[in-house]
Amino acid sequence: MDETMLLIAGTIGAGKSSLTDMLSQEMNSKPFYENVDDNEVLPLFYSNPEKYTFLLQVFFLNKRFLAMKDALPQADNVLDRSIYEDSLLFHLNADLGRVSSEEVKQYDHLLDTMLKELEHTAPKKRPDLLVHIKVSFDVMLERIEKRGRDYEQIATNPELYDYYKLVNERYEKWFDSFTICPKIQIDGDRYDFVADPKAAEIVINQIKEETNKLNVLTFKNASYYSSEKMEKGIF
């Protein structure tokens, strides 16, 4: 069986990094996380999106390109967000007037060049499964508030409310139109896998069932959420 690549997608605060961590432990594989905590550009974007949108999106595009290039030739791996989501986020900000038409042109050319380079790196390889964590707008806001990053909070920047709503709406449309690889949608409202170990077990099993159907992955570890661990309260 060839190496397997899983992509984790979802709106802000959906739980992508947590699910990436859980799956990488189940697969005994390397996780590739989105660069957030040590991203010096992200707070600048939140403070002045009109000035820093292009810089932020090029920063993320470069990081995701390098992550994909590193992950494609390796054994089983999981990516917290991927280069395939970049156009969604960039063009949302473009529609809000935060970048110029020339910046849109240059960004699209750069993204196209990177995608062709990835095809050259591994011409017969594509991601094996996209896992989209779907959360409602209200739950999205609750999660953003709960994780407590100051620059993300609506309480200090009320304009973020409309922006977050657009991001969540765009992700729904993006998932519906995504055709790069097989996909599955996880109900992040119903299954709070970050806070509830039982919900985590259900979500991991949903993904396992899908990979079994696709015949793309055999999970290497005994389940991280095994019945024995559940009984002992070890998570």
Side-chain angles (χ1 to χ4, degrees):
M1 187 176 293
D2 295 334
E3 295 83 1
T4 300
M5 175 184 287
L6 303 184
L7 305 180
I8 311 302
T11 189
I12 303 165
K16 298 181 296 297
S17 296
S18 296
L19 186 57
T20 297
D21 181 55
M22 294 173 189
L23 286 169
S24 68
Q25 292 188 57
E26 288 284 315
M27 296 164 62
N28 191 25
S29 67
K30 179 179 179 180
F32 292 82
Y33 295 105
E34 183 180 31
N35 190 297
V36 173
D37 291 336
D38 60 345
N39 182 345
E40 297 178 356
V41 183
L42 193 56
L44 295 176
F45 164 77
Y46 276 95
S47 68
N48 191 339
E50 284 72 19
K51 182 176 181 180
Y52 291 108
T53 287
F54 188 74
L55 176 61
L56 177 67
Q57 292 299 149
V58 170
F59 174 91
F60 274 132
L61 182 60
N62 180 54
K63 294 295 184 181
R64 289 168 187 155
F65 169 73
L66 293 175
M68 286 288 293
K69 196 169 183 179
D70 188 16
L72 278 169
Q74 293 190 27
D76 302 337
N77 48 58
V78 190
L79 282 82
D80 167 12
R81 272 216 179 120
S82 71
I83 196 170
Y84 303 110
E85 293 167 72
D86 275 79
S87 183
L88 176 164
L89 297 165
F90 180 84
H91 281 277
L92 166 57
N93 281 284
D95 290 345
L96 293 172
R98 294 173 172 176
V99 292
S100 68
S101 58
E102 184 59 30
E103 285 173 326
V104 172
K105 180 180 177 181
Q106 294 304 320
Y107 179 90
D108 286 342
H109 284 326
L110 180 59
L111 176 59
D112 184 59
T113 299
M114 288 180 168
L115 291 174
K116 288 178 180 177
E117 173 65 20
L118 291 175
E119 290 180 3
H120 178 72
T121 300
K124 295 183 180 179
K125 179 65 179 173
R126 290 286 187 278
D128 295 285
L129 180 66
L130 170 79
V131 180
H132 174 238
I133 308 167
K134 178 181 178 181
V135 295
S136 65
F137 181 53
D138 288 342
V139 169
M140 174 187 176
L141 296 183
E142 289 173 7
R143 303 269 175 84
I144 291 172
E145 182 179 4
K146 185 176 181 179
R147 72 182 183 182
R149 293 175 185 156
D150 291 341
Y151 55 82
E152 291 182 339
Q153 301 306 312
I154 292 175
T156 55
N157 186 357
E159 293 181 2
L160 288 174
Y161 182 91
D162 291 336
Y163 177 68
Y164 288 156
K165 188 173 184 179
L166 286 172
V167 171
N168 206 39
E169 291 172 355
R170 294 273 180 124
Y171 259 99
E172 279 297 298
K173 296 176 182 178
W174 175 82
F175 175 77
D176 290 341
S177 63
F178 183 85
T179 58
I180 301 296
C181 67
K183 58 189 179 182
I184 182 176
Q185 195 165 62
I186 300 298
D187 188 341
D189 284 11
R190 182 178 180 184
Y191 302 113
D192 185 0
F193 52 85
V194 177
D196 181 1
K198 291 184 178 180
E201 183 183 29
I202 292 170
V203 166
I204 294 295
N205 285 334
Q206 287 178 347
I207 297 168
K208 284 183 177 181
E209 289 174 6
E210 192 66 23
T211 58
N212 287 338
K213 290 179 187 176
L214 297 169
N215 193 31
V216 296
L217 177 66
T218 300
F219 281 82
K220 297 179 176 64
N221 287 344
S223 177
Y224 187 65
Y225 297 95
S226 65
S227 57
E228 182 180 355
K229 289 181 179 179
M230 293 286 290
E231 289 173 3
K232 293 182 179 179
I234 302 173
F235 309 109

